[in-house]
Amino acid sequence: MMKLKTKQKIADSLHDFRLPRYQEIPDVGLYLDQVAKFISEYLAPLEESCLTPSMVSNYVKKGLIDNPVKKQYGREQIAYLFFIAVAKTVLSLDALTGFIKLQQKTYPLPKAYDYFCDQLESLLFFTFEISDSLEMCGEDNTDEKRLLFTCIVAAVQKVYLEKCLDAIAKEDN
């Protein structure tokens, strides 16, 4: 059983977690290394969700995101990369591709991305007992949103499991 102090320490590491909303993502164009660093800094508390420059290049080659323009990535590509970085921990590349195509058919990216951010934060805070309630985001209840919710739940549960097991292992040493 995990000690209360350890549990609180895990929750504290996520207490200030917040992703930039679509309009807060830089649209000046970031180079590959800058994109990987920008995303990884935001996702560092989730540990496994970080991106490397080679991963970003592979996502471009696989067609998950558009090619950079003059070697620079814009807001749209960065928003997709935030989603990919989180979802890659629980989905295959083929499933990620299908998810992105589904999003493109159903919701404009700014709306879909902001919903993703809101739901990820709400699920993290609820799962790690930072918040007492789980907030459902958005106004409509579609199959597409339920799929995204399920993907985020899986990713958050994986983070929770790994952080708890890591904390227990450290207590035992």
Side-chain angles (χ1 to χ4, degrees), residues 65-112:
I65 62 169
D66 291 337
N67 287 317
V69 177
K70 297 181 182 176
K71 297 186 180 185
Q72 294 182 330
Y73 296 82
R75 180 179 289 149
E76 183 175 305
Q77 293 150 311
I78 294 169
Y80 279 121
L81 286 167
F82 269 110
F83 169 73
I84 291 166
V86 171
K88 75 176 172 62
T89 64
V90 295
L91 295 176
S92 67
L93 283 179
D94 288 341
L96 281 169
T97 301
F99 228 127
I100 290 170
K101 287 179 182 175
L102 180 64
Q103 173 272 310
Q104 291 169 340
K105 285 191 243 175
T106 55
Y107 291 100
L109 181 59
K111 182 176 182 175

Side-chain angles (χ1 to χ4, degrees), residues 18-67:
R18 184 182 182 282
L19 293 180
R21 295 314 187 254
Y22 189 79
Q23 291 302 320
E24 298 169 346
I25 296 172
D27 199 31
V28 294
L30 298 177
Y31 291 103
L32 181 61
D33 287 340
Q34 292 172 314
V35 167
K37 183 179 180 196
F38 179 75
I39 293 170
S40 292
E41 284 177 358
Y42 272 99
L43 296 177
L46 305 185
E47 294 169 12
E48 242 187 76
S49 298
C50 296
L51 287 180
T52 64
S54 64
M55 292 166 87
V56 174
S57 294
N58 284 334
Y59 297 141
V60 170
K61 288 177 191 171
K62 299 274 186 191
L64 271 84
I65 62 169
D66 291 337
N67 287 317

Side-chain angles (χ1 to χ4, degrees), residues 112-161:
Y113 173 77
D114 286 350
Y115 170 78
F116 159 73
C117 293
D118 291 342
Q119 200 63 75
L120 177 63
E121 291 163 11
S122 179
L123 278 161
L124 276 170
F125 295 160
F126 181 74
T127 301
F128 284 89
E129 299 176 4
I130 296 167
S131 171
D132 293 335
S133 62
L134 176 62
E135 294 191 28
M136 298 308 290
C137 303
E139 298 147 16
D140 53 350
N141 190 19
T142 63
D143 289 337
E144 294 83 4
K145 281 180 64 178
R146 282 191 293 280
L147 286 173
L148 180 61
F149 179 81
T150 303
C151 175
I152 296 169
V153 166
V156 167
Q157 291 299 315
K158 187 171 187 288
V159 169
Y160 181 78
L161 180 62

